[in-house]
Amino acid sequence: GSNDAPLIRSAILTNPQLAVLKLGYNNLGNVGANLIAEAIHVGGGLIMRRSGSVGGGNGGDSQSQQLPLQQQQQQYRHHPSLSVLDLGFNNVGDEGCTSLANLAVARNPS
């Protein structure tokens, strides 16, 4: 469930060779999806934080907020090897899906 999401996040961040992650039927919910999305985003070596963090709060520093949006977007990388993510049947709602789309998929270079 969502209580295990921090462990999954840690596993994503510490395993750059991770290529396939199948987590279906774990009831991760929005909280888990948010943490996983952030880990995938940061897993490639985040150079600069977003002006808003996943799940609320502003999390950004004043330097990143002052740069033009295009320059901020160019500074992001994603997890180096993750190519398959299965989160089916985890009770992920709109908030979790939005986090996944914005952090884990939208600026994916592939």
Side-chain angles (χ1 to χ4, degrees), residues 49-65:
R49 288 188 58 78
R50 292 170 46 96
S51 59
S53 64
V54 175
N58 67 10
D61 59 60
S62 60
Q63 288 180 331
S64 69
Q65 293 174 9

Side-chain angles (χ1 to χ4, degrees), residues 47-101:
I47 296 171
M48 184 178 302
R49 288 188 58 78
R50 292 170 46 96
S51 59
S53 64
V54 175
N58 67 10
D61 59 60
S62 60
Q63 288 180 331
S64 69
Q65 293 174 9
Q66 293 173 1
L67 291 175
L69 181 59
Q70 183 180 14
Q71 189 175 356
Q72 287 185 36
Q73 290 176 344
Q74 291 174 354
Q75 304 233 3
Y76 286 87
R77 295 187 301 238
H78 290 77
H79 194 278
S81 62
L82 187 64
S83 60
V84 175
L85 176 63
D86 179 1
L87 293 176
F89 302 97
N90 270 292
N91 294 319
V92 176
D94 291 344
E95 177 188 343
C97 290
T98 299
S99 290
L100 288 165

